[in-house]
């Protein structure tokens, strides 16, 4: 048998390119990267792609079909090559082996199916009761996104700002500092918890997460049973030296029986690389004895059932649960979270957002912030507009363009400008103009549609007046309002289901031109 | 860091002590080396392209060499507050800003920087206003106005309502400061002109709005006196300012006003706009505080029609 030397290096190069791409995507603090590039990297992610396909079917959303086909053809290539969390685990594993403390040699381990499939089942079942929160917490890409957004991005910004500072000291202004508020405790500790969990799991067993917790790994693993290309050990030339077994990150090579557990094999090709006899190879297996056995695989069956129910119910589920219109007055203190333009409704967002933090990471005005409990427990880490931090830039459509799961539907600039995510509320008694008797107009100044406009008031002053029909809810007025206590005199009250704002009507100004100077 | 702070503090202190000895014209920290007698107090140009009008206007003032000496550093502060294109007239005309950069470099400036503490997201403002490109094409450098650590505390000794604020280090450090506002209507301050434009040079604008906007604008004008003000009245936002809703709010008026006196320049601009100067509170307050004069008849004005 000829040794397939190129497989492992190819896998490593492609995976590093993908990781580089993902880091680039999460470094795009000022939304400079074309959205197509961002989508290229994220569209191969399994869960977001399914979610996007459920209501925005199309080529970009078909990434999961590609992954499924790839898995049928060649096993869990996705897990070792395209999954950013998997690549991170490989890198952590690499450093683990470089440590002076020698761990035990890797051995074959029995699959922890009693954890793996119930978790998958629970994640799917919980869909019917709590929405996609359980999948969110387990999805590898979403977890990578949380780590990238809360830990990698602040480090990137800090390094960029330091570099900028040094260069500005040398009077070179080519590197702009990015933003100042880089450290936010709550999201940071959330991201750190995830990272430490991953590190711990890598220390215990390299790909423990992928073969025990990860629902995507479980699904692709089941599918790998029928894939054409598989790792196969030749019983004739194998000397049972065990090198392959100890190189296996998934602990899935059983050297005693010369078997590879294909549900756990992530096609990393480490085994092929280390085999001195070239007796382990990646080859087409037309007939799979394991499939032919009459013994029924109950876990697989339950998976297929659950999977079919899931796929069938998903579109219905997505549409279900319309939010009731509230009748209470639109008070500041009782308002809920404001969801990003394009997310259609809070329900739509909760049904489709996996909380990967990508929109939050690329929002140039930083108005998008991760929710804690604003959307309720099942809405943790979902994007919400925080008008204390900033306001939604009228011309910007970035969040919808990059959203990999279609939770934020892409809007054209024209659509965005009439998408009403909330409406303006004005409390005149709090307004500076009334309480202090001095000019302000900060709100009207920032309003892109003049839904807030100034009308004559006492003593030559002007005071805001509002026209909620043309308000888009961008929050510029609220952000700019100088009143802080007890709350801004002007604020946005969210539309739980987004509405369409009327377009502002303006008349062309007429100016008489005179030949003479007016002074 | 300590050294820097020391320098800023001592600069502020020297300004404060300088104030005691300065009669009449108030010289601020950056008005160094441009003690000149200009041929005119105010130049108004009309009916040309922005760059063309600036060429005529600055020539009437004796050329840029009267303001920028070789090897000096220049900061230009246009209005780049909004994420909108030049046709919307919410920001200063990019052609004009680029052209001023070119004039400064031709006069021998060592470095020309441009910034604004924008309202909308700054990278989008810089790009979509066209100013970033115009400045870079002409050899200038864009600097962010959105980093708090670039702003340093100053005392506004003559301020009534605004006594302290943080000012961008480029304003504090540069040898020459050219203020280039766009002439426009303003919902809060009635008009946005030279003195209002200085709000983009400070960190804390919220304080202005909460503590008598017009008084604060005038207070800061007592502290910060640009070496040259150029009001861009090529396209004028006649209503719904300072941001505007659509091009319907814009009139092409093709004016430009150049002056070292902010009050005089703003007064002339209100007349171009067609509003009584009295209605713009901060102009009157600034005059009373000795920033400049609204009495245009007392000034030596050059009027150029192209």
């Amino acid at each position: 048998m000829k040794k397939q030397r190129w497989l492992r290096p190819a896998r490593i190069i492609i995976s590093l390119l993908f990781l580089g791409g993902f880091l680039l995507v999460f470094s795009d603090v000022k939304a400079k990267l074309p959205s197509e590039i961002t989508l290229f990297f994220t569209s191969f992610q399994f869960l977001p792609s399914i979610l996007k396909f459920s209501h925005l079917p199309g080529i970009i959303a078909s990434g999961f079909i590609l992954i499924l086909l790839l898995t049928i053809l060649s096993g869990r290539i996705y897990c070792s090559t395209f999954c950013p969390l998997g690549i991170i685990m490989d890198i952590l594993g690499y450093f683990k082996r470089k440590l002076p403390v020698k761990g035990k040699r890797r051995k074959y381990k029995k699959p922890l199916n009693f954890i793996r499939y119930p978790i998958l089942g629970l994640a799917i079942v919980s869909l019917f009761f709590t929405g996609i929160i359980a999948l969110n917490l387990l999805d590898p890409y979403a977890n990578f996104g949380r780590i990238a957004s809360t830990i990698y991005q602040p480090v990137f910004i800090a390094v960029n700002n330091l570099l900028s500072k040094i260069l500005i000291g040398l009077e070179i202004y080519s590197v702009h500092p990015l933003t100042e508020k880089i450290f936010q405790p709550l999201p940071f500790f959330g991201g750190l918890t995830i990272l430490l969990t991953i590190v711990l799991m890598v220390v215990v067993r390299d790909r423990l997460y992928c073969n025990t917790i990860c629902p995507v790994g479980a699904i692709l693993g089941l599918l790998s049973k029928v894939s054409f290309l598989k790792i196969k050990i030749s019983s004739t030339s194998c000397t049972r030296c065990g090198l392959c077994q100890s190189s296996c990150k998934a602990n899935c090579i059983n050297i005693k029986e010369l078997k590879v557990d294909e549900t756990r094999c992530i096609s990393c090709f480490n085994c092929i690389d280390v085999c001195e006899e070239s007796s382990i190879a990646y080859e087409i297996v037309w007939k799979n004895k394991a499939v032919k056995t009459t013994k029924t695989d109950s876990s697989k069956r339950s998976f297929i059932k659950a999977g079919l129910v899931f796929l069938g119910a998903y579109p219905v589920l997505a549409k279900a649960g319309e939010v009731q219109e509230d009748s209470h007055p639109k008070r500041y203190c009782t308002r809920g979270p404001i969801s990003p333009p394009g997310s259609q409704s809070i329900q739509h967002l909760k049904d489709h957002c996996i909380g990967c933090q990508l929109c939050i990471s690329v929002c140039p005005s930083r108005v998008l912030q991760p929710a804690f409990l604003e959307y309720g427990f099942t809405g943790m880490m979902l994007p919400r507009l925080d008008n204390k931090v900033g306001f939604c830039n009228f011309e910007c459509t970035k969040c919808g363009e990059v959203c990999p799961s279609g939770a934020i539907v892409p809007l054209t600039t024209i659509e965005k400008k009439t998408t009403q995510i909330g409406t303006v509320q004005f409390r005149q008694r709090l307004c500076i103009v009334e309480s202090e008797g001095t000019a302000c107009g900060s709100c009207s100044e920032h309003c892109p549609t003049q839904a807030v406009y100034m009308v004559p008031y006492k003593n030559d002053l002007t005071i805001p007046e509002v026209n909620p029909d043309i308000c888009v809810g961008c929050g510029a007025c609220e952000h700019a309002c100088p009143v802080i206590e007890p709350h801004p005199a002007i604020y946005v009250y969210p539309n739980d289901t987004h509405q369409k704002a009327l377009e502002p009507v303006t008349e062309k100004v007429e100016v008489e031109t005179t030949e003479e100077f007016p002074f | 860091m300590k050294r820097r702070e020391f320098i800023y503090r001592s600069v502020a202190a020297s300004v404060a002590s300088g104030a005691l000895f300065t009669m009449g014209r108030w010289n601020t920290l950056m008005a160094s080396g441009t003690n000149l007698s200009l041929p005119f107090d105010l130049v108004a140009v009309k009916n040309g392209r922005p760059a063309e009008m600036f060429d005529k206007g600055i020539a009437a003032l004796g050329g840029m060499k009267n303001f920028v000496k070789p090897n000096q550093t220049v900061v230009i502060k246009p209005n780049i507050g909004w994420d909108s294109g030049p046709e919307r007239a919410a920001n200063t005309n990019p052609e004009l800003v680029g052209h001023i950069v070119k004039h400064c470099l031709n006069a021998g400036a060592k470095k020309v920087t441009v910034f604004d503490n924008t309202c909308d997201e700054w990278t989008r403002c810089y790009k979509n206003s066209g100013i970033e490109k115009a400045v870079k094409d002409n050899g200038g450098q864009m600097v962010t106005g959105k980093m708090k650590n670039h702003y340093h505390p100053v005392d506004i000794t003559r301020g009534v309502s605004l006594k302290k604020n943080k000012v961008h280090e480029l304003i504090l450090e540069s040898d020459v400061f050219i203020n280039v506002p766009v002439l426009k209507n303003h919902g809060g301050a009635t008009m946005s002109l030279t003195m209002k434009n200085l709000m983009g040079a400070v960190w804390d604008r919220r304080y202005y709005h909460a503590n008598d906007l017009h008084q604060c604008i005038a207070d800061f004008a007592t502290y910060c006196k640009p070496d040259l003000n150029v009001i861009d009245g090529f396209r004028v936002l006649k209503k719904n300012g300072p941001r505007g809703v659509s091009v319907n709010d814009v009139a092409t008026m093709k004016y430009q006003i150049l002056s070292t006196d902010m009050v005089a320049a703003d007064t002339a601009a209100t007349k171009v706009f067609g509003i009584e100067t009295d209605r713009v509170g901060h102009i009157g307050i600034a005059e009373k505080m000795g920033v400049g004069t609204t009495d245009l008849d007392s000034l030596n004005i050059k009027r150029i029609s192209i």
Side-chain angles (χ1 to χ4, degrees), chain A residues 139-196:
Chain A
D139 181 68
Y141 163 70
N143 278 317
F144 168 80
R146 286 167 208 141
I147 296 171
S149 164
T150 58
I151 296 173
Y152 163 73
Q153 198 185 56
V155 171
F156 170 79
I157 294 173
V159 169
N160 173 86
N161 287 5
L162 185 69
L163 183 69
S164 165
K165 197 172 178 174
I166 293 166
L167 290 176
I168 287 177
L170 301 168
E171 308 212 332
I172 299 165
Y173 292 83
S174 49
V175 178
H176 286 303
L178 287 168
T179 176
E180 285 195 321
K181 285 171 194 153
I182 52 175
F183 183 76
Q184 283 171 315
L186 205 59
F188 174 78
F189 287 112
L192 196 65
T193 311
I194 296 168
L195 181 63
L196 290 179

Side-chain angles (χ1 to χ4, degrees), chain A residues 9-19 81-82 87:
Chain A
R11 185 264 299 173
I12 292 174
I13 290 168
I14 298 171
S15 67
L16 289 179
L17 285 176
F18 260 80
L19 182 65
T81 315
F82 303 122
I87 303 166

Side-chain angles (χ1 to χ4, degrees), chain A residues 253-309:
Chain A
I253 300 178
N254 186 344
I255 201 70
K256 280 182 195 143
E257 297 177 23
L258 295 185
K259 270 188 186 163
V260 179
D261 177 356
E262 60 266 82
T263 67
R264 285 184 292 153
C265 172
I266 51 161
S267 305
C268 73
F269 313 123
N270 279 359
C271 48
I272 295 177
D273 211 53
V274 294
C275 183
E276 286 167 356
E277 330 298 330
S278 300
S279 53
I280 188 160
Y282 190 52
E283 48 182 36
I284 296 171
V285 182
W286 290 106
K287 286 180 184 174
N288 195 318
K289 282 173 190 163
V291 175
K292 273 192 170 178
T293 51
T294 49
K295 203 177 87 184
T296 53
D297 189 336
S298 60
S299 63
K300 191 172 81 184
R301 289 201 169 174
S302 66
F303 160 72
I304 291 168
K305 269 184 219 158
L308 286 175
V309 172

